[in-house]
Amino acid sequence: MMASVARDWQAMEMLPDDRRDGRDVLLWADGYAAICSWCDGWRDAVGREIMAPAAWADIVEPEGVGG
């Protein structure tokens, strides 16, 4: 599955509760972006906890690429 770069970064205060359902989201923390999911806290793909992310964005399919 190919994911696009996020365009619509939002403050963590704007994160809807449903984004903590285990789906992947893009988080901005400590000067870099990481694909993360919620599991008793934000964790990256290898399970490292992401502390105090500043912003989030949904991961979406690139335009023009069908499923």
Side-chain angles (χ1 to χ4, degrees):
M1 176 178 180
M2 180 188 283
S4 71
V5 175
R7 295 175 294 221
D8 299 321
W9 289 102
Q10 299 182 47
M12 290 303 292
E13 295 81 22
M14 302 300 293
L15 181 78
D17 289 337
D18 68 355
R19 297 313 191 276
R20 290 185 170 93
D21 63 1
R23 75 180 78 183
D24 287 339
V25 296
L26 198 57
L27 297 182
W28 185 264
D30 296 325
Y32 67 94
I35 296 174
C36 300
S37 60
W38 182 262
C39 181
D40 294 324
W42 291 109
R43 304 209 178 261
D44 67 9
V46 296
R48 292 180 294 234
E49 188 170 7
I50 303 297
M51 304 298 291
W56 71 277
D58 282 321
I59 298 172
V60 297
E61 185 175 281
E63 291 180 22
V65 177

